[in-house]
PDB file of all heavy atoms in Angstrom:
ATOM      1  N   GLY B 136      52.946  53.850 -32.461  1.00 92.00           N
ATOM      2  CA  GLY B 136      52.548  52.722 -33.150  1.00 92.00           C
ATOM      3  C   GLY B 136      51.094  52.281 -32.919  1.00 92.00           C
ATOM      4  O   GLY B 136      50.552  52.563 -31.840  1.00 92.00           O
ATOM      5  N   HIS B 175      37.880  27.104 -15.029  1.00 94.00           N
ATOM      6  CA  HIS B 175      38.582  25.950 -15.567  1.00 94.00           C
ATOM      7  C   HIS B 175      37.502  25.151 -16.332  1.00 94.00           C
ATOM      8  O   HIS B 175      36.530  24.696 -15.663  1.00 94.00           O
ATOM      9  CB  HIS B 175      39.123  25.124 -14.361  1.00 94.00           C
ATOM     10  CG  HIS B 175      39.895  23.995 -14.919  1.00 94.00           C
ATOM     11  ND1 HIS B 175      40.140  22.827 -14.210  1.00 94.00           N
ATOM     12  CD2 HIS B 175      40.705  23.730 -16.006  1.00 94.00           C
ATOM     13  CE1 HIS B 175      40.803  21.916 -14.840  1.00 94.00           C
ATOM     14  NE2 HIS B 175      41.170  22.449 -15.970  1.00 94.00           N
ATOM     15  N   HIS B 239      82.613  58.787 -24.826  1.00 97.00           N
ATOM     16  CA  HIS B 239      81.462  59.223 -25.539  1.00 97.00           C
ATOM     17  C   HIS B 239      81.160  58.168 -26.642  1.00 97.00           C
ATOM     18  O   HIS B 239      81.938  57.271 -26.916  1.00 97.00           O
ATOM     19  CB  HIS B 239      81.614  60.627 -26.115  1.00 97.00           C
ATOM     20  CG  HIS B 239      82.628  60.687 -27.217  1.00 97.00           C
ATOM     21  ND1 HIS B 239      83.973  60.686 -27.032  1.00 97.00           N
ATOM     22  CD2 HIS B 239      82.472  60.855 -28.573  1.00 97.00           C
ATOM     23  CE1 HIS B 239      84.542  60.825 -28.255  1.00 97.00           C
ATOM     24  NE2 HIS B 239      83.653  60.899 -29.153  1.00 97.00           N
ATOM     25  N   VAL B 280      63.152  30.939 -24.212  1.00 86.00           N
ATOM     26  CA  VAL B 280      62.035  31.228 -25.122  1.00 86.00           C
ATOM     27  C   VAL B 280      60.888  30.194 -24.885  1.00 86.00           C
ATOM     28  O   VAL B 280      61.213  29.082 -24.648  1.00 86.00           O
ATOM     29  CB  VAL B 280      62.693  30.910 -26.552  1.00 86.00           C
ATOM     30  CG1 VAL B 280      61.499  31.086 -27.567  1.00 86.00           C
ATOM     31  CG2 VAL B 280      63.741  31.852 -26.956  1.00 86.00           C
ATOM     32  N   LEU B 286      47.104  34.848 -29.549  1.00 95.00           N
ATOM     33  CA  LEU B 286      46.417  35.682 -30.526  1.00 95.00           C
ATOM     34  C   LEU B 286      45.624  36.688 -29.613  1.00 95.00           C
ATOM     35  O   LEU B 286      44.802  36.390 -28.838  1.00 95.00           O
ATOM     36  CB  LEU B 286      45.482  34.758 -31.355  1.00 95.00           C
ATOM     37  CG  LEU B 286      44.498  35.616 -32.204  1.00 95.00           C
ATOM     38  CD1 LEU B 286      45.166  36.196 -33.526  1.00 95.00           C
ATOM     39  CD2 LEU B 286      43.245  34.721 -32.634  1.00 95.00           C
ATOM     40  N   HIS B 310      35.205  25.457 -25.603  1.00 92.00           N
ATOM     41  CA  HIS B 310      35.045  25.699 -26.961  1.00 92.00           C
ATOM     42  C   HIS B 310      36.299  25.251 -27.766  1.00 92.00           C
ATOM     43  O   HIS B 310      36.359  25.257 -29.030  1.00 92.00           O
ATOM     44  CB  HIS B 310      34.600  27.144 -27.281  1.00 92.00           C
ATOM     45  CG  HIS B 310      35.502  28.198 -26.640  1.00 92.00           C
ATOM     46  ND1 HIS B 310      36.856  28.356 -26.997  1.00 92.00           N
ATOM     47  CD2 HIS B 310      35.322  29.109 -25.768  1.00 92.00           C
ATOM     48  CE1 HIS B 310      37.359  29.349 -26.434  1.00 92.00           C
ATOM     49  NE2 HIS B 310      36.458  29.817 -25.507  1.00 92.00           N
ATOM     50  N   GLY B 313      41.386  27.824 -27.753  1.00 92.00           N
ATOM     51  CA  GLY B 313      42.592  28.242 -26.971  1.00 92.00           C
ATOM     52  C   GLY B 313      42.846  27.333 -25.889  1.00 92.00           C
ATOM     53  O   GLY B 313      41.870  26.943 -25.238  1.00 92.00           O
ATOM     54  N   SER B 365      44.109  43.383 -34.134  1.00 95.00           N
ATOM     55  CA  SER B 365      44.523  41.967 -33.687  1.00 95.00           C
ATOM     56  C   SER B 365      46.036  41.745 -33.992  1.00 95.00           C
ATOM     57  O   SER B 365      46.576  42.522 -34.690  1.00 95.00           O
ATOM     58  CB  SER B 365      43.751  40.872 -34.539  1.00 95.00           C
ATOM     59  OG  SER B 365      43.935  41.033 -35.789  1.00 95.00           O
ATOM     60  N   ARG B 399      54.466  43.165 -16.428  1.00 86.00           N
ATOM     61  CA  ARG B 399      55.856  43.549 -15.879  1.00 86.00           C
ATOM     62  C   ARG B 399      56.648  44.084 -16.964  1.00 86.00           C
ATOM     63  O   ARG B 399      57.917  44.130 -16.812  1.00 86.00           O
ATOM     64  CB  ARG B 399      56.423  42.203 -15.276  1.00 86.00           C
ATOM     65  CG  ARG B 399      55.718  41.785 -14.023  1.00 86.00           C
ATOM     66  CD  ARG B 399      56.105  40.370 -13.589  1.00 86.00           C
ATOM     67  NE  ARG B 399      55.263  40.051 -12.436  1.00 86.00           N
ATOM     68  CZ  ARG B 399      55.546  40.297 -11.223  1.00 86.00           C
ATOM     69  NH1 ARG B 399      56.692  40.968 -10.918  1.00 86.00           N
ATOM     70  NH2 ARG B 399      54.789  39.962 -10.211  1.00 86.00           N
ATOM     71  N   VAL B 491      61.634  46.311  -4.565  1.00 96.00           N
ATOM     72  CA  VAL B 491      62.242  46.773  -3.422  1.00 96.00           C
ATOM     73  C   VAL B 491      63.716  46.411  -3.524  1.00 96.00           C
ATOM     74  O   VAL B 491      64.134  45.191  -3.765  1.00 96.00           O
ATOM     75  CB  VAL B 491      61.738  46.032  -2.056  1.00 96.00           C
ATOM     76  CG1 VAL B 491      62.453  46.595  -0.860  1.00 96.00           C
ATOM     77  CG2 VAL B 491      60.170  46.401  -1.998  1.00 96.00           C
ATOM     78  N   ARG B 556      63.624  69.498   3.588  1.00 98.00           N
ATOM     79  CA  ARG B 556      62.692  68.689   4.508  1.00 98.00           C
ATOM     80  C   ARG B 556      61.394  68.787   4.080  1.00 98.00           C
ATOM     81  O   ARG B 556      60.818  69.760   3.626  1.00 98.00           O
ATOM     82  CB  ARG B 556      62.916  69.449   5.921  1.00 98.00           C
ATOM     83  CG  ARG B 556      62.198  68.847   6.961  1.00 98.00           C
ATOM     84  CD  ARG B 556      62.138  69.630   8.247  1.00 98.00           C
ATOM     85  NE  ARG B 556      61.302  69.083   9.274  1.00 98.00           N
ATOM     86  CZ  ARG B 556      60.915  69.755  10.352  1.00 98.00           C
ATOM     87  NH1 ARG B 556      61.213  71.062  10.350  1.00 98.00           N
ATOM     88  NH2 ARG B 556      60.294  69.174  11.253  1.00 98.00           N
ATOM     89  N   LEU B 559      55.903  66.550   8.246  1.00 97.00           N
ATOM     90  CA  LEU B 559      54.496  66.128   8.297  1.00 97.00           C
ATOM     91  C   LEU B 559      54.225  65.680   9.861  1.00 97.00           C
ATOM     92  O   LEU B 559      55.128  65.389  10.483  1.00 97.00           O
ATOM     93  CB  LEU B 559      54.264  64.881   7.418  1.00 97.00           C
ATOM     94  CG  LEU B 559      54.372  65.124   5.954  1.00 97.00           C
ATOM     95  CD1 LEU B 559      54.318  63.852   5.163  1.00 97.00           C
ATOM     96  CD2 LEU B 559      53.475  66.169   5.443  1.00 97.00           C
ATOM     97  N   HIS B 594      64.822  59.428  14.860  1.00 97.00           N
ATOM     98  CA  HIS B 594      64.927  60.931  15.008  1.00 97.00           C
ATOM     99  C   HIS B 594      66.005  61.458  14.037  1.00 97.00           C
ATOM    100  O   HIS B 594      66.704  60.565  13.399  1.00 97.00           O
ATOM    101  CB  HIS B 594      65.418  61.162  16.522  1.00 97.00           C
ATOM    102  CG  HIS B 594      66.771  60.582  16.889  1.00 97.00           C
ATOM    103  ND1 HIS B 594      67.000  59.255  17.039  1.00 97.00           N
ATOM    104  CD2 HIS B 594      67.960  61.246  16.947  1.00 97.00           C
ATOM    105  CE1 HIS B 594      68.270  59.106  17.248  1.00 97.00           C
ATOM    106  NE2 HIS B 594      68.853  60.346  17.254  1.00 97.00           N
TER     107      HIS B 594
END
Side-chain angles (χ1 to χ4, degrees):
Chain B
H175 184 212
H239 70 285
V280 176
L286 172 74
H310 56 64
S365 61
R399 293 166 185 275
V491 178
R556 180 188 182 200
L559 297 174
H594 68 282

